[in-house]
Amino acid sequence: MLDAPLNSLGLPKAPADTRVVVAMSGGVDSSVVAAQLAEEGYDVVGVTLQLYDHGAALAKKGACCAGRDIHDARRVAETMGFPHYVLDYENAFREAVIDEFADSYLGGATPVPCIRCNERVKFRDLLETAKDLDADCMATGHYIQRKAGAHGPELHRAADPVRDQSYFLFSTTAEQLSYLRFPLGHLPDKAATRALAQRYGLPVADKPDSQDICFVPNGDYAAVIEKLRPGAGEPGEIVDMEGRVLGRHDGVIRYTIGQRKGLGIGGLSEPLYVVKLDADAKRVVVGPREALATRTVPVREVNWLGDAPFESRDEWHLGVKVRSTKPPVEAVIRPTGPTTADVELLTPERGVSPGQACVFYAPEGSRVFGGGWIWRGA
């Protein structure tokens, strides 16, 4: 068997003898992955997770886990002729993702729940379920690449920089990477994915992409947090960096670091930005744009995907992203422990916020070296 040629998933088996669990959200990306593998002759099992009360989300377009999406995933499975299962992960999702999301906002942080969902639900709980189903691997519709390296599988950015999801998958461990597959990561753009959906005759070929966090209708974070944590929207003061009161606010949870609009403080000689959220004092601190510049970023819960141990060097010269929408910038990463580090940005970044991810990239090329969580403000 070890001498058998590798199939398209890198396994020494015939496709018909290779069971693949495909994590199906009901969107076009994961649907194309399932359809493509089914067409290639793999033993495909589609699994969709019910992550929250999807009945309440039926009226919301673009939610990744709503009831309509479960229905769409099932239709794709019927079209391509493979089994499909829906697993109730509501309690696990609430405990692992939603509760932390609410508590982070209450603490003045700006969390990224999609990363926690991948880390704690899809790539942990669902991955174990895939193994229980005797699957040889698990495939997803994420735009990221898994490549063979000299020391094992490596994580790389997607070929399409517009669709690249490496920022949201930095916490994927080396062990998980050995079991995961990302069949869309090499595609040039989303149009290529939709062309494949049309070719397979999938009912979701023209389905719009999801835009919001699946459990936050219309992007209204404050409303969700107030529902989860009654009293979270307590009012307080808006102050400048010297502590002078400039106005009042309706809850720290309604603000984010770097915010300029909607502060409700007029008549000022220069524009002001949110530079700090003091949740304990219920204060929103504002200041000039230059006050947002951050050079040193402490991170924790570091997931390291380099070949050499993280602490084997005093410093690593890599690129980092401190928000998903910006390209990597040059940085020096200095380990302060097995899973902690101080990241020095060679060019200061504005709007760095606790609760966001700091993701590490090779200075050249597409490799992802992991990352960590920003844990306190500048």
Side-chain angles (χ1 to χ4, degrees):
M1 181 63 72
L2 292 177
D3 295 328
L6 299 181
N7 59 32
S8 64
L9 294 175
L11 297 167
K13 289 183 174 185
D17 299 323
T18 306
R19 175 167 292 176
V20 187
V21 163
V22 179
M24 299 183 67
S25 68
V28 65
D29 299 324
S30 57
S31 296
V32 164
V33 167
Q36 180 177 335
L37 295 176
E39 187 188 61
E40 291 179 17
Y42 287 95
D43 177 10
V44 172
V45 178
V47 175
T48 301
L49 303 181
Q50 178 182 315
L51 298 181
Y52 64 98
D53 183 5
H54 59 273
L58 284 174
K60 177 179 180 271
K61 296 180 180 179
C64 72
C65 317
R68 179 174 181 83
D69 294 325
I70 293 174
H71 172 70
D72 287 343
R74 184 177 292 118
R75 288 172 65 207
V76 169
E78 291 171 352
T79 299
M80 298 304 298
F82 59 81
H84 174 258
Y85 301 96
V86 178
L87 304 182
D88 183 356
Y89 273 44
E90 279 194 40
N91 289 337
F93 185 66
R94 177 166 186 136
E95 293 170 5
V97 180
I98 297 180
D99 284 344
E100 181 182 83
F101 171 83
D103 292 338
S104 293
Y105 259 105
L106 287 178
T110 307
V112 191
C114 294
I115 297 177
R116 289 302 197 193
C117 181
N118 290 323
E119 172 190 321
R120 297 175 173 177
V121 180
K122 294 176 182 174
F123 290 179
R124 186 185 68 186
D125 298 344
L126 179 55
L127 191 145
E128 288 305 314
T129 297
K131 291 181 178 179
D132 291 340
L133 292 171
D134 294 325
D136 295 285
C137 61
M138 186 174 91
T140 80
H142 289 105
Y143 287 88
I144 196 166
Q145 298 187 82
R146 174 190 184 274
K147 296 185 178 182
H151 299 273
E154 298 174 353
L155 201 63
H156 287 253
R157 284 185 279 180
D160 177 9
V162 175
R163 305 298 303 182
D164 174 58
Q165 292 177 292
S166 59
Y167 182 86
F168 300 98
L169 297 171
F170 82 86
S171 60
T172 305
T173 66
E175 181 182 3
Q176 292 166 344
L177 194 57
S178 68
Y179 192 71
L180 290 164
R181 300 295 187 273
F182 309 107
L184 302 184
H186 69 286
L187 295 180
D189 52 34
K190 185 59 176 273
T193 305
R194 292 198 181 277
L196 286 172
Q198 293 283 359
R199 179 182 138 199
Y200 298 132
L202 301 184
V204 296
D206 297 320
K207 186 173 182 178
D209 292 339
S210 59
Q211 299 296 328
D212 299 325
I213 295 171
C214 63
F215 61 90
V216 183
N218 304 316
D220 190 349
Y221 300 96
V224 170
I225 296 165
E226 287 185 290
K227 183 177 180 181
L228 293 168
R229 302 289 186 270
E234 292 183 18
E237 298 173 336
I238 299 175
V239 301
D240 64 16
M241 298 178 69
E242 283 72 46
R244 291 187 290 266
V245 178
L246 303 179
R248 302 279 297 175
H249 65 76
D250 294 327
V252 171
I253 60 173
R254 301 180 187 279
Y255 298 83
T256 58
I257 302 295
Q259 179 177 334
R260 176 186 172 187
K261 296 181 179 179
L263 300 183
I265 46 175
L268 301 171
S269 59
E270 62 175 345
L272 294 178
Y273 300 77
V274 176
V275 298
K276 183 179 178 182
L277 297 172
D278 187 340
D280 292 335
K282 299 182 178 60
R283 278 187 159 190
V284 174
V285 182
V286 297
R289 190 180 184 204
E290 54 266 25
L292 288 169
T294 300
R295 183 177 289 277
T296 302
V297 182
V299 296
R300 60 185 177 184
E301 293 182 60
V302 169
N303 177 53
W304 178 246
L305 295 175
D307 298 330
F310 186 51
E311 291 186 281
S312 63
R313 294 189 193 176
D314 292 333
E315 55 185 43
W316 297 87
H317 292 256
L318 298 170
V320 302
K321 274 190 181 189
V322 291
R323 60 172 59 80
S324 64
T325 55
K326 294 251 184 131
V329 297
E330 289 184 275
V332 179
I333 300 162
R334 299 184 176 92
T336 56
T339 59
T340 59
D342 287 329
V343 178
E344 180 187 351
L345 306 175
L346 300 192
T347 302
E349 285 274 302
R350 293 186 175 93
V352 177
S353 175
Q356 296 281 295
C358 179
V359 182
F360 310 154
Y361 296 88
E364 297 180 357
S366 60
R367 188 172 178 186
V368 183
F369 278 82
W373 292 94
I374 302 168
W375 65 278
R376 67 170 181 260

